[in-house]
Amino acid sequence: MKITGIKAHILKRTPPIYKWKEQWAARSLDHVLVRLLTDQPGIEGQCLTYLMSPMEFKYALPGLQSVLVGRDPHEVEAISFELTDRLERPTPVASAIDICLWDLIGKAHGEPIYRLLGAARNRIRAYASTFYYETPEEYCKLALECRDQGFNAYKIHPSGIPEKDIIICRKVREAVGDTMDLMLDPINEYDRQGALKVGRVLDELDFYWYETPIPDSDIEGLRLLSRELDLPVTAVESVSQGLRAYPQYLGAVDSIRAIGDWIGGISAMRKAAAFCEANQIKFEPHSYGTVSIMAAHLHVMLATHYCDFVEIAVPKGCLDIGMKDTLWIDSDGWVNAPTKPGLGYEVDMEEIERLTEEVLEVGAMDESSRISGRKTAWT
C-alpha cells in the first residue's frame, strides 16, 4: 500500500459557544477532516480534528506532500519522527497525520488500532467532562443528568477563581453524594496559594484527582501540592516540548496528562504510556475532542494498564460533528472498544460535504498539485 495524496476538508466554523473557564471568551472551533489517500480502492486514513489551525495545515501541505506521498503507511514511526523531531517539537499537523497513518494501518489489516498496539483490555471506565457554567446549580443539574445516563465519574471545569470553585465543588458533592467520583480541572489558572486552598477542600470532599491546578511550568509548585495533598495531582498537558518534557515531572505529579492531538498523535502517546509504566505513574491523557480525537486516545488507553479513565465531553453530542458513529458509554459508565478497523468510528461524508468550506488537495510530486476552494480567501 502506498499513499497517493493528501486531502483536507476545512469545515465551516462553529458558533462561539465553547467556553471552559470564566476568564476565557466563548470560542468558535475550526474543524478539519484530514484524509490520506492510497492506491488501494476504498482505503484511506482519516482524522477529523479541532485543535489544528486550517491556515497552519495549508502552509504545511507542500512539506507533507514531500514526506508522505509514495510512502507505505507502515513507516509511521519514520514519518512521524521526521515530522516532529526535525522541528524539535510536536505540532497539531504532525499529530493529525500520525493518527491518519494509524487509521490506515488498522484498515489495511482489518483490525481496530488498539489490537495492533497490543490490546490490554477491551473496555475502560469513562468520566463526563463539562464546559464552564455560570452557577453551581448548573453544574449540579448536569452532574445528575450524567449520572442518569450511566456516568459514575464527573469532571468539573470551573471558573478558575478559588473561592467560587470551592462553592461549586461543595455543591456538586452534596448533589451526587458518594455515587460519583469527582475531578476538578481549573486549567492552570490558580496560583500556589489558591491551589493549595482549593486542594485541601478537595481532600475533604474525597475528589478523585486534581488536574492542572497551576501552570505546568511551575514544577516546584506541583511538587509542593503533591506533597501537601492526599488526592493525586495530575498535569503536564500544556507543555510544548511533548515527550521530552516528561522526565522533569517525575516526583512532581502523580499522573501525566497529554493531548495526543498536540504531542504527536498515537505514536507519541504510546511512548508516553510506556514512560509512565516504566516510572510507575498513571498515564491519564486528555482525550477531549472530536470523535476521531477521542478514538485515537481510546486506542492507546486500551493498550495500557496504567490508565483509569477515558474523558468524554458533555452534554452528549457537543463535539460529534460530521460523524456517523459516536463514542459513548454503556449503561454502567464504561466505553467498549470499537470493532470496526482503524479508529473504528465512521465519518459521515455527506455531512462533511455539506459543512465543507474549502478543500485542499495534493498528489504525487510529478503531478500538478492543487488547492481548490469553496472560498478563495486562501487561494
Side-chain angles (χ1 to χ4, degrees), residues 143-159:
L144 296 174
E145 290 172 356
C146 289
R147 188 179 66 179
D148 290 345
Q149 292 167 346
F151 284 101
N152 47 51
Y154 181 75
K155 188 175 83 176
I156 299 164
H157 285 112
S159 69

Side-chain angles (χ1 to χ4, degrees), residues 66-297:
S66 66
V67 171
L68 290 166
V69 175
R71 300 283 286 276
D72 185 328
H74 291 86
E75 299 172 14
V76 57
E77 176 60 27
I79 293 169
S80 292
F81 186 82
E82 184 171 351
L83 291 177
T84 58
D85 195 67
R86 182 172 56 185
L87 300 174
E88 296 187 347
R89 63 180 178 86
T91 67
V93 170
S95 303
I97 293 298
D98 182 87
I99 293 168
C100 285
L101 289 167
W102 278 102
D103 187 42
L104 260 180
I105 295 169
K107 288 172 178 174
H109 293 275
E111 291 281 3
I113 294 166
Y114 82 100
R115 288 177 55 81
L116 301 180
L117 296 174
R121 49 189 163 172
N122 58 18
R123 65 198 304 255
I124 187 170
R125 194 174 168 209
Y127 66 85
S129 186
T130 76
F131 292 115
Y132 162 73
Y133 293 97
E134 296 283 345
T135 67
E137 289 72 26
E138 290 172 283
Y139 286 101
C140 294
K141 180 175 181 292
L142 180 59
L144 296 174
E145 290 172 356
C146 289
R147 188 179 66 179
D148 290 345
Q149 292 167 346
F151 284 101
N152 47 51
Y154 181 75
K155 188 175 83 176
I156 299 164
H157 285 112
S159 69
I161 301 169
E163 292 74 18
K164 289 186 176 182
D165 296 349
I166 287 170
I167 294 171
I168 292 167
C169 292
R170 289 192 184 281
K171 292 286 188 181
V172 172
R173 174 54 82 196
E174 181 181 358
V176 303
D178 61 0
T179 63
M180 300 184 87
D181 284 319
L182 299 177
M183 301 91 156
L184 186 72
D185 179 9
I187 317 180
N188 311 112
E189 191 63 31
Y190 303 148
D191 59 19
R192 290 186 187 183
Q193 183 178 4
L196 189 57
K197 183 177 181 180
V198 173
R200 285 173 173 153
V201 173
L202 300 186
D203 271 342
E204 173 196 334
L205 298 175
D206 194 26
F207 268 52
Y208 195 91
W209 77 47
Y210 192 13
E211 183 176 329
T212 58
I214 60 178
D216 284 339
S217 58
D218 186 2
I219 298 174
E220 187 54 40
L222 290 168
R223 196 182 309 278
L224 181 149
L225 289 173
S226 294
R227 185 170 60 244
E228 292 293 324
L229 301 175
D230 292 331
L231 83 167
V233 174
T234 184
V236 199
E237 66 184 42
S238 69
V239 295
S240 61
Q241 308 99 313
L243 293 170
R244 296 180 180 186
Y246 292 176
Q248 62 189 318
Y249 287 91
L250 292 176
V253 296
D254 299 291
S255 65
I256 294 285
R257 298 288 288 175
I259 301 178
D261 40 328
W262 189 270
I263 69 164
I266 289 170
S267 294
M269 281 194 290
R270 65 176 183 155
K271 295 172 186 177
F275 172 86
C276 290
E277 181 174 350
N279 290 283
Q280 295 291 291
I281 62 174
K282 292 286 188 178
F283 178 55
E284 295 290 349
H286 157 124
S287 52
Y288 197 100
T290 62
V291 174
S292 293
I293 296 307
M294 284 195 290
H297 289 79

Side-chain angles (χ1 to χ4, degrees), residues 323-342:
M323 298 298 298
K324 284 185 179 179
D325 298 324
T326 59
L327 194 156
W328 196 248
I329 57 171
D330 60 17
S331 59
D332 62 355
W334 291 60
V335 172
N336 293 307
T339 56
K340 293 180 180 179

Side-chain angles (χ1 to χ4, degrees), residues 2 4 7 20 37 47 64 79 90 152 184 210 235 292:
K2 301 293 183 185
T4 59
K7 192 170 186 176
W20 289 278
L37 312 179
C47 177
L64 295 175
I79 293 169
N152 47 51
L184 186 72
Y210 192 13
S292 293

